[in-house]
Amino acid sequence: MQTDVLDHGYVELVETWGSDERIIQAARMSTGKGFQGWGSRCKKCGHTFDDKINRCDLIDCGGTESAPGDEKLLKFLWDHKHATPFEMAGLTIEVKAPIMVFREWHRHRTQSYNEMSARYTPLPDENYVPSLERLMTRGTANKQASAAAGSKVLDEETACAWRADLVRVYRDLQDVYERGLYWGVPKELARLPVPVGRYSKMRASANLRNWLAFVTLRSDGAAQWEIRQYSDAVGKIISEKFPRTWAVYSVGSA
Ligand SMILES: Cc1cc2nc3c(=O)[nH]c(=O)nc-3n(C[C@H](O)[C@H](O)[C@H](O)COP(=O)(O)OP(=O)(O)OC[C@H]3O[C@@H](n4cnc5c(N)ncnc54)[C@H](O)[C@@H]3O)c2cc1C
């Protein structure tokens, strides 16, 4: 499961553990009742209940009254910040992103990381070049997308020229990097000209509670557009692998 992000990056699922059911089981440790099931339950026997005909699915039972399924408990846990059961599930992902994005990402100190190191292997010559549309976008409510104080109003022609300058500078910096490697400058110093637009790779791992906190902060309109694209890709993975948790999370944060 891989989602392409920006011009050379991606978010790829390595593995998940736990499930929506495991979260319920963990919460029910207090009563010893375990996971009861999703969807309406029969009040009499606890089996699935057919809401259309108002009867228990188990013919022998004949129950006619229903109780809500475990979605109700999941929502209760989330709404009341009873968050530890959400630590019983989680995911590990592989991410390829500009170093600039990793600078923001690594502020989430309670995730676990392993990143490619230019001390040991030269970083491939791949750099982030923002699209023209991205350069021209201004957020009205988002100070982080604002231009420097006193700057001119950017037009498309100047934005194109700036992009060309950026590509040229990337090329020049790569040239210095490669010459350093060629002449035997230690790899850990030859990397000095590597720009923050250079793509790097890492694995990041955390429990579901932590990932939801990450998505809350980084898919928000106040976060920089680039990390938001990565965060949205993480959110997509969570929505597919933990659909019931994602449902209560999305409603809760709407
Ligand atoms: C829009 C936006 C703008 C930002 N701008 C800046 C900026 O300009 N400069 C900047 O430096 N950072 C900035 N940050 C980073 C921000 O300050 C946080 O470091 C980052 O969002 C990680 O959040 P966190 O601390 O909750 O996550 P984690 O580090 O993963 O921590 C998770 C939780 O653990 C607890 N915790 C972890 N460490 C400690 C600790 N040492 N003491 C007490 N409790 C702890 C807290 O409850 C915390 O919420 C920005 C973040 C966002 C989303």
Side-chain angles (χ1 to χ4, degrees):
M1 190 188 220
Q2 182 175 310
T3 305
D4 293 337
V5 187
L6 306 185
D7 50 355
H8 300 291
Y10 61 76
V11 169
E12 185 182 1
L13 177 64
V14 177
E15 63 177 343
T16 61
W17 59 93
S19 60
D20 293 325
E21 286 84 350
R22 289 275 182 272
I23 294 166
I24 296 292
Q25 284 170 342
R28 286 253 173 75
M29 284 309 291
S30 49
T31 59
K33 281 190 180 159
F35 174 64
Q36 303 289 300
W38 306 118
S40 290
R41 320 302 306 166
C42 171
K43 235 180 187 173
K44 194 170 158 197
C45 73
H47 201 268
T48 50
F49 189 86
D50 191 334
D51 287 321
K52 282 192 207 123
I53 55 168
N54 247 346
R55 262 191 107 78
C56 176
D57 268 349
L58 216 59
I59 295 165
D60 292 347
C61 168
T64 53
E65 279 188 88
S66 69
D70 282 339
E71 299 88 338
K72 190 181 174 197
L73 175 59
L74 199 66
K75 181 166 169 14
F76 177 88
L77 296 172
W78 185 257
D79 289 350
H80 293 83
K81 303 192 188 328
H82 182 3
T84 49
F86 296 93
E87 295 170 13
M88 295 295 173
L91 53 134
T92 300
I93 55 171
E94 187 167 300
V95 185
K96 184 176 173 195
I99 290 168
M100 167 187 80
V101 169
F102 283 171
R103 286 284 299 272
E104 296 180 341
W105 200 312
H106 292 160
R107 299 307 314 281
H108 297 264
R109 300 154 290 175
T110 50
Q111 294 188 3
S112 301
Y113 304 110
N114 282 114
E115 190 183 348
M116 189 176 192
S117 170
R119 278 193 76 191
Y120 302 111
T121 184
L123 289 180
D125 182 18
E126 286 178 311
N127 303 293
Y128 173 49
V129 180
S131 66
L132 191 59
E133 190 190 5
R134 165 66 179 123
L135 285 173
M136 298 303 296
T137 303
R138 291 288 166 277
T140 44
N142 182 0
K143 281 192 191 138
Q144 309 229 349
S146 61
S151 69
K152 298 188 186 304
V153 177
L154 187 65
D155 58 53
E156 280 202 15
E157 196 185 333
T158 316
C160 276
W162 186 86
R163 260 179 110 233
D165 280 348
L166 179 67
V167 170
R168 183 178 44 75
V169 168
Y170 279 155
R171 211 168 37 235
D172 290 349
L173 290 171
Q174 180 63 15
D175 195 39
V176 178
Y177 186 25
E178 282 178 14
R179 267 188 284 140
L181 292 171
Y182 176 81
W183 289 112
V185 174
K187 288 196 283 295
E188 62 194 21
L189 294 176
R191 66 177 167 172
L192 280 170
V194 168
V196 292
R198 176 63 53 96
Y199 276 88
S200 181
K201 272 194 230 177
M202 69 162 179
R203 285 202 174 187
S205 190
N207 63 48
L208 197 52
R209 177 188 184 178
N210 195 305
W211 279 120
L212 291 173
F214 173 84
V215 171
T216 299
L217 290 170
R218 299 302 183 176
S219 285
D220 187 87
Q224 183 167 335
W225 184 84
E226 280 73 14
I227 196 166
R228 240 189 297 150
Q229 309 314 301
Y230 285 90
S231 178
D232 289 352
V234 172
K236 186 166 161 265
I237 293 174
I238 298 173
S239 71
E240 286 172 19
K241 296 292 175 182
F242 304 97
R244 293 175 192 278
T245 297
W246 185 255
V248 294
Y249 165 79
S250 325
V251 171
S253 41

